[in-house]
Amino acid sequence: MRRQTATSGSTPAGSSRSLRLDPLSLPLRFDAQDIRADGGIRQIELHRERVILRREVGGMRMAVNVRVCDFLGVAARTTDHGRMLVLLHRDPSLSIPLSVGADAEEIEAAASLWSEIFALPQLPEDNTREPAQRRRRHNVIKDRRPRFLIRRKAGDLLNAAGNYQGEREIIARD
């Protein structure tokens, strides 16, 4: 198997204007931009089943191993440099750039190829993505009894001692 390595020079692959990774030559290893990492670069290894992100933050090296099935899908996004193809994750810091270019048809063809290889859906372009509204919390357990009291029968406070006031009691004497 061939291995595609990072491009030579000072600019990492994720920051160049013409990033094109070949999905047919997996596994791939390349550098991409990461504003939180020391040096602003993270190393990405793409395999068919997993993605490994390596970066150094605050002098501490870390490697994050993410399964491909944990990604949401392959999405084409519009950027300042043209269009970008991204392997989209729920956590934006784990999203991975796959291709950057100006040709929309080429990006769409690459998107279908990447989604077929990873068995992930192609996501529509969503420029106006807002965070989801907070769900209303209906606390269903607030009226329940504590766990250790569930086995006990709840008492009746109205007639706790069995005293009947205002009535005449009939007592049978033997």
Side-chain angles (χ1 to χ4, degrees):
M1 270 214 165
R2 279 188 347 214
R3 189 176 271 256
Q4 186 169 346
T5 58
T7 58
S8 62
S10 62
T11 59
S15 67
S16 68
R17 293 183 184 209
S18 61
L19 168 69
R20 287 184 186 89
L21 299 175
D22 184 17
L24 300 175
S25 64
L26 290 177
L28 299 173
R29 183 179 174 147
F30 62 98
D31 293 340
Q33 239 180 352
D34 188 358
I35 57 173
R36 291 189 228 167
D38 294 349
I41 296 174
R42 65 178 170 176
Q43 293 178 348
I44 299 172
E45 290 183 33
L46 279 174
H47 301 270
R48 288 191 189 271
E49 305 86 28
R50 70 182 184 276
V51 175
I52 302 172
L53 303 164
R54 298 180 196 277
R55 66 182 186 175
E56 190 171 334
V57 178
M60 181 182 296
R61 291 184 195 163
M62 64 177 73
V64 180
N65 192 355
V66 183
R67 296 179 305 183
V68 169
C69 62
D70 291 337
F71 286 88
L72 298 175
V74 178
R77 300 288 185 239
T78 304
T79 63
D80 298 337
H81 306 297
R83 294 186 48 88
M84 180 188 325
L85 190 63
V86 177
L87 186 59
L88 199 63
H89 193 272
R90 200 173 295 116
D91 182 4
S93 65
L94 295 179
S95 294
I96 298 170
L98 298 173
S99 179
V100 177
D103 188 15
E105 293 175 5
E106 183 180 326
I107 294 290
E108 292 301 321
S112 63
L113 190 58
W114 279 107
S115 67
E116 183 181 331
I117 285 180
F118 285 141
L120 291 173
Q122 287 185 10
L123 301 174
E125 186 167 344
D126 188 16
N127 291 335
T128 60
R129 188 170 183 186
E130 296 177 5
Q133 265 188 338
R134 186 177 173 140
R135 293 175 46 188
R136 289 185 62 190
R137 185 168 180 183
H138 299 287
N139 197 348
V140 286
I141 63 171
K142 71 176 182 178
D143 294 328
R144 284 189 11 197
R145 295 168 53 110
R147 184 183 301 173
F148 71 95
L149 291 177
I150 288 177
R151 290 174 287 173
R152 297 182 182 175
K153 183 180 174 185
D156 184 18
L157 295 177
L158 297 176
N159 195 2
N163 294 334
Y164 299 96
Q165 296 177 351
E167 297 182 14
R168 294 182 65 187
E169 295 184 20
I170 301 175
I171 300 173
R173 294 196 168 103
D174 291 336

